[in-house]
């Protein structure tokens, strides 16, 4: 890269001016530099031409006439001001996006100056869900994705790290001597009612028995280094260890706390996808194992939020589990949906208490008939966007990662077997345009809108691994990122085209497309396999 | 790779036997070694254990008893016999697919012996369409794809090399002195009726003006080397230069032979996708340019077939072109669909004569209201599979590359602009299962079936370039390859699952899936980014 950055307002009239420096100023109050939901990510970016105070007239020697002397530019200067380091990083990213190649001599230039930008995100939580349980993602893929997230000003990696099919976090065995059963980890089943358990838990087996292959695990060191890397790029990492449903992977190490395992061929009676397996909510050891996992995983992840999962819990499974039925009978809990919800709420309450005990705010998936958790719980509305308003009206904060707009793995057929006409669970394919059209606060009044923390693009890994991760993510997740940072309209005019009868919008039909296309080329230049959205001809001839 | 190949029938009982050699025998008649539609690609592969003729009893020294002496294996031997080099290549590919890793000691082994296979393809034309007109594909991508095609026993690269949006073949200018207007290149329009044109044609401008960027061209040398590489792997390359429709790219060099250029914003009145542009069928120079292109391109490509395109020709374009209207008026051709077909047939006839003159058989796309070409023309039925029977009943040979089964770029949304609910022209996405379910001769009687030369998987490049080529192609094109080589059933039992009520089939529900999954891992081991079809858990636990 040529170090000479050139700022020129109009190539035909103004001489190139060397950009002498870019100053980055961050306010001194270091409390802003804790990366979290409250971090101030705003920044101001200005690129100004410093003019000479010369005599406004000088002699044009060639024509021996006195000519008006336009102010002679001395140089150009860039200034980025931000309240936090993270705002400054966003400013530097924006600055780098303003720099283009001068097609005439190959130097770098900023074609339109002066630049004066005050920028801040529309939403504080701008996330991307990656899933390393349904297929392993290499550390290289995770690092690369962190880099691209920073390019897109996404600031939360929602890492669905363990759950249904594998448990790839290498934990240590819990030594017997140091084991204490904390209050929340005490069960109330009668069969297993020793007051204090001194035996340790073989937690290392969660990974050694519950992953696809040796090597397909993340060590604590892997995770710590990744998190440092992410934090240095302004990206929070929120882990999700899914439970009590979608928990088959726990069963290899702890069969005694899991039920409805691997139902075959009818897994579908007991789970949303194979293999079936849920934690047993009425066995005290379940809570001891969960506590043991949290004791080791919570210190690894520094974010104030910790995702508890609660995804796709299956009523039929527990309603066909003998120990659960004994428990419900003893407590007069009916074998109905309402009864199931009570057992589930009880599990989640105890789980969330463990998170709070570790000084974490719980985050959970929206897929429950009832929401009866404490209101400090944030709800991930990955289901229909219709549920955002309902969630907020119940008093929760919502993260609007709605599959009907933002799920990047829809529409690619069934992955279960040979079924010819199988559909995906969230057809059709979510094109970048559909993703861009999402407004997380649509239909909410201003007060309700305050409860939307932000949104997420979602990529579960049923059909994703290192081979196709980049292309599945980018540039479609860039559409989500753009909407979450700046919305999808300018001065209340949408950047999209909603149909042939919206004449005014059709004139603006390429605003969003040009932003996405251009950003794709930036990602390509960083060796990211962001996929092609349209023929190069169309990219070169916008509007045709 | 460990050179010691081990053939063992049952690891628990039989000692490993070293595979001493693999003999490859090709019949001497070298006429079989011309790669073409008639090439015999069959092979026989056997891997046999040579046994010792020893005394059937020997003393077991440890137990001092006489024990029956099972024949003592001396060694194992592989033999591949084929009529042609290309059959031998397929045999070697199959052999390599039989070799797996012994999980115990990491050596290579063939777990099930003896192997006795007589194998031959069901269809002679097993093709893959790649499109370097709608987006440039690098030479590296083309070479890599040739390699993977060989792994999949695909034998025809249908290279849609030039057409609508770009013309990436670097041709030489036609020198004036050596120019002769051949008979078929003589026009019959009155305005341009010099008997012999001595001026040359600036054919180099087709590429220099009609591509996206400098460098996004294929030189003659590039093409020749690629074709040698393909031939050495048993792969024919059939070029397609699309005309007279989808020909905008010709207009940059030869505006005088193109009409309806770049209609904006209503390209759709004149072409199926932007930019609009067709060759003018009533100007003699059109035919001179086409002949000039063929004079240089035909010698590059050795295959007996040459694809003439004839895709998506737009009646409305010519019916609004003054010179065409004058011509039709002078010839009493009505301004109707039937009249349009007559002009188009006339163009195609003259074009095909040029191909025959260069000793090539014409191949053309099926999308015409009428098919009135000579019966030596093969028809590429890329439209609905319903048209295969109709095409054959008109007396043509058909290549069944039907978009409703084999188009790999369907279902991924609209690429034209910002339209949120845009669909692709061939929704839904073609899952590997759908592709696998294709039977090119479905509904044909045995006599009709003989006219199906084979089929193709199709990947046009509206949303494809080097970034996502591998994942878009593989392993879905492997499903097409498997069907074209061996069909989709064994002993009339389908390898697929057609629905829950087909009990017998459901027992076989993973035959196809296992084949495809396993082949995907072979491709991954060759660093091909074949994409994931299902969670690794499902791959490891077939049937669950």
């Amino acid at each position: 890269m040529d170090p000479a950055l050139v700022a020129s307002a109009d190539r035909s009239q103004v001489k190139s001016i060397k950009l002498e420096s870019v100053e980055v100023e961050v306010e001194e109050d270091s409390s802003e530099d804790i990366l979290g939901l409250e971090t101030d990510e705003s920044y101001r970016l200005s690129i100004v031409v410093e003019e000479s105070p010369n005599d406004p007239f000088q002699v044009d020697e060639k024509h021996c006439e006195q000519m008006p002397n336009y102010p002679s530019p001395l140089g150009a200067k860039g200034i980025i001001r931000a309240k936090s380091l993270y705002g400054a990083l966003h400013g530097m990213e924006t600055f780098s996006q303003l720099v283009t190649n001068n097609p005439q001599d190959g130097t770098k230039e900023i074609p339109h100056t002066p630049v004066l930008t005050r920028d801040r995100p529309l939403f504080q939580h701008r996330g991307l869900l990656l899933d390393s349980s349904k297929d392993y993602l290499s550390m290289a893929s995770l690092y690369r994705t962190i880099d691209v997230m920073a390019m897109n000003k996404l600031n939360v990696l929602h890492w669905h790290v363990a759950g249904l099919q594998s448990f790839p976090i290498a934990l240590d065995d819990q030594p017997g001597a140091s084991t204490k059963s904390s209050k929340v980890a005490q069960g109330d089943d009668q069969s297993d009612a020793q007051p204090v358990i001194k035996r340790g838990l073989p937690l290392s087996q969660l990974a050694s028995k519950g992953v696809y292959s040796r090597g397909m695990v993340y060590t604590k060191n892997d995770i710590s280094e990744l998190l440092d890397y992410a934090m240095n790029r302004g990206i929070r990492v929120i882990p999700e260890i899914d439970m009590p449903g979608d928990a088959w992977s726990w069963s290899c190490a702890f069969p005694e706390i899991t039920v409805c395992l691997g139902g075959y061929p009818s897994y579908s009676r007991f789970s949303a996808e194979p293999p079936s397996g849920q934690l047993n909510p009425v066995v005290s050891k379940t809570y001891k194992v969960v506590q043991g996992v949290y004791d080791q995983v919570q210190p690894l992840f520094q974010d104030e939020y910790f995702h508890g999962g609660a995804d796709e819990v299956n009523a039929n499974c527990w309603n066909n589990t003998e120990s659960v039925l004994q428990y419900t009978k003893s407590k007069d809990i009916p074998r109905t949906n309402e009864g199931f919800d009570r057992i589930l709420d009880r599990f989640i309450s105890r789980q969330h208490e463990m998170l709070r005990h570790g000084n974490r705010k719980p985050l959970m998936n929206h897929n429950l008939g009832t929401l009866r958790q404490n209101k400090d719980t944030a709800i991930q509305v990955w289901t229909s966007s219709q549920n955002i308003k309902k969630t907020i009206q119940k008093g929760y904060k919502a993260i609007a990662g709605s599959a009907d707009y933002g799920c990047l793995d829809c529409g690619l057929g069934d992955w279960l077997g040979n079924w010819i006409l199988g559909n995906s669970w969230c057809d059709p394919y979510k094109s970048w345009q559909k993703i861009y059209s999402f407004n997380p606060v649509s239909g909410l009044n201003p007060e309700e809108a305050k409860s939307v923390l932000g949104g997420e693009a979602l990529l579960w890994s049923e059909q994703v691994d290192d081979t196709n991760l980049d292309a599945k993510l980018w540039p479609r997740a860039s559409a989500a990122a753009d909407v979450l940072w700046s919305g999808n309209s300018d001065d209340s005019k949408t950047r999209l085209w909603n149909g042939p009868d919206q004449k005014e919008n059709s004139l603006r039909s390429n605003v969003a497309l040009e932003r996405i296309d251009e950003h794709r080329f930036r990602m390509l230049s960083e060796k990211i396999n962001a996929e092609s959205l349209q023929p190069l001809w169309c990219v070169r001839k916008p509007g045709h």
Side-chain angles (χ1 to χ4, degrees), chain A:
Chain A
M1 186 169 162
D2 191 308
L5 289 170
V6 175
S8 64
D10 177 342
R11 205 171 293 135
S12 64
Q13 294 189 358
V14 177
K15 280 184 191 168
S16 292
I17 307 161
K18 190 171 177 185
L19 182 60
E20 297 286 348
S21 64
V22 180
E23 286 175 16
V24 182
E25 295 178 11
V26 179
E27 284 190 14
E28 277 190 11
D29 179 2
S30 64
S31 69
E32 291 289 349
D33 287 336
I34 297 167
L35 184 60
L37 192 63
E38 306 299 330
T39 301
D40 187 316
E41 297 177 287
S42 67
Y43 65 91
R44 291 173 60 186
L45 167 65
S46 56
I47 298 167
V48 289
V49 175
E50 295 174 308
E51 291 169 351
S52 78
N54 283 357
D55 180 4
F57 290 87
Q58 68 176 16
V59 175
D60 180 317
E61 291 180 5
K62 201 169 171 192
H63 296 96
C64 297
E65 289 173 16
Q66 212 177 39
M67 295 278 284
N69 181 13
Y70 295 108
S72 157
L74 278 179
K77 189 178 170 185
I79 303 167
I80 294 167
R81 287 204 178 87
K83 287 198 175 167
S84 73
L85 281 174
Y86 306 107
L89 285 175
H90 294 313
M92 289 162 72
E93 179 59 41
T94 299
F95 171 78
S96 81
Q97 293 181 14
L98 291 172
V99 178
T100 60
N101 289 310
N102 179 329
Q104 286 165 355
D105 59 9
T107 56
K108 304 287 177 188
E109 67 174 22
I110 294 171
H112 303 291
T113 55
V115 173
L116 294 164
T117 303
R118 283 170 189 268
D119 199 12
R120 62 183 312 147
L122 208 53
F123 295 100
Q124 284 297 101
H125 181 114
R126 304 180 306 282
L128 176 64
L129 180 148
L130 288 189
D131 169 10
S132 58
S133 167
K134 298 195 181 72
D135 229 323
Y136 182 75
L137 297 172
S138 68
M139 291 304 294
S141 284
L142 295 173
Y143 277 103
R144 195 174 63 250
T145 302
I146 295 279
D147 285 336
V148 198
M149 288 177 69
M151 287 182 74
N152 285 275
K153 299 193 178 79
L154 289 168
N155 69 348
V156 179
L157 173 60
H158 169 179
W159 189 7
H160 185 102
V161 59
L164 179 54
Q165 285 116 339
S166 79
F167 197 110
I169 310 176
L171 300 178
D172 301 314
D173 285 339
Q174 190 185 59
S178 65
T179 303
K180 281 184 183 175
S181 63
S182 74
K183 275 216 163 182
V184 289
Q186 282 184 16
D188 47 8
D189 53 319
Q190 301 304 307
S191 60
D192 190 20
Q194 293 96 354
V196 178
I197 306 292
K198 290 286 182 191
R199 275 169 296 160
L201 291 167
L203 295 172
S204 68
Q205 293 182 12
L206 280 166
S208 65
K209 293 184 172 179
V211 295
Y212 297 119
S213 289
R214 235 179 311 170
M216 288 191 168
V217 292
Y218 308 107
T219 65
K220 290 180 178 178
N221 196 47
D222 287 340
I223 293 172
S224 293
E225 289 183 358
L226 182 76
L227 265 60
D228 279 351
Y229 189 86
M231 190 177 67
N232 287 334
R233 283 148 187 82
I235 292 165
R236 303 157 55 198
V237 180
I238 298 179
E240 175 178 0
I241 298 177
D242 205 359
M243 65 180 87
D246 282 358
W248 178 89
S249 70
W250 302 63
S251 70
C252 303
F254 297 103
E256 66 275 25
I257 69 168
T258 42
V259 294
C260 318
L261 295 175
Y264 171 75
S266 55
Y267 77 88
S268 59
R269 286 182 59 209
F270 302 122
S271 67
E273 67 181 70
S276 58
Q278 287 187 184
L279 297 187
N280 187 331
V282 301
V283 174
S284 67
K285 189 167 183 184
T286 298
Y287 299 92
K288 292 181 191 105
V289 173
V290 172
Q291 182 67 57
V293 168
Y294 280 167
D295 284 346
Q296 292 188 46
V297 177
Q298 282 182 0
L300 290 175
F301 291 88
Q302 300 299 329
D303 200 77
E304 63 194 309
Y305 280 95
F306 196 108
H307 202 304
D311 202 12
E312 297 179 335
V313 190
N314 186 291
N316 198 49
C317 165
W318 284 348
N319 281 338
N320 284 281
T321 297
E322 187 54 34
S323 57
V324 177
L325 292 176
Q326 281 180 12
Y327 176 84
T328 51
K329 201 170 175 187
S330 74
K331 302 281 182 184
D332 275 336
I333 298 173
R335 196 177 166 181
T336 60
N337 284 344
E338 194 265 335
F340 165 77
D341 287 341
R342 279 172 62 187
I343 304 171
L344 179 57
D345 283 343
R346 179 177 162 279
F347 178 93
I348 294 172
S349 296
R350 296 181 69 178
Q351 176 202 11
H352 285 188
E353 273 313 301
M354 296 183 208
L355 292 174
R356 290 186 191 97
H357 198 250
N359 210 19
R360 297 290 184 274
K361 289 182 185 168
L363 181 57
M364 65 182 279
N365 282 307
H366 176 283
N367 62 347
L368 307 172
T370 59
L371 284 171
R372 284 192 283 256
Q373 302 309 314
N374 284 1
K375 301 304 183 199
D376 68 338
T377 307
I379 307 295
Q380 168 97 17
V381 187
W382 66 273
T383 52
S384 161
S385 54
Q386 304 293 321
N387 292 322
I388 298 169
K389 192 181 179 88
K390 293 176 193 167
T391 300
I392 288 169
Q393 288 179 334
K394 289 202 173 187
Y396 296 97
K397 301 285 185 192
I399 292 168
S402 303
D404 47 354
Y405 285 92
C407 184
L408 303 174
D409 50 316
C410 302
L412 302 176
D414 191 13
W415 49 265
L416 273 170
N418 279 344
W419 200 8
I420 297 166
L421 297 177
N423 298 317
S424 78
W425 65 274
C426 54
D427 286 323
Y429 181 81
K430 305 301 175 238
S431 67
W432 76 266
Q433 299 97 324
K434 176 77 178 178
I435 295 166
Y436 208 101
S437 72
F438 185 44
N439 177 1
V441 296
S442 174
L444 305 184
N445 65 41
E447 197 54 38
E448 290 168 339
K450 287 179 190 165
S451 291
V452 176
L453 304 179
E456 293 187 0
L458 313 167
L459 185 65
W460 282 288
S461 290
E462 279 90 349
Q463 296 174 291
V464 172
D465 60 14
D466 289 345
T467 59
N468 57 359
L469 181 68
D470 278 9
K472 286 276 180 289
L473 284 176
W474 315 108
R476 289 187 298 150
S478 304
D482 205 16
V483 167
L484 291 169
W485 182 279
S486 68
N488 56 19
S489 55
D490 299 306
D491 302 327
S492 79
K493 286 177 190 165
T494 173
R495 298 189 197 121
L496 289 161
W497 188 51
N498 281 306
D501 53 353
Q502 297 194 15
K503 280 201 180 166
E504 190 187 16
N505 283 332
S506 77
L507 295 175
R508 298 173 49 78
S509 68
N510 286 283
V511 178
L513 178 61
E514 282 170 30
R515 291 165 77 108
I516 299 294
D517 268 341
E518 194 171 340
H519 201 56
R520 178 189 175 231
F521 282 96
R522 286 187 203 111
M523 293 188 280
L524 288 181
S525 73
E526 300 293 329
K527 311 285 181 211
I528 303 303
N529 272 334
E531 76 176 357
S532 168
L533 295 178
Q534 56 172 213
L536 201 47
W537 191 93
C538 301
V539 179
R540 296 275 171 84
K541 312 255 181 175
H544 282 78

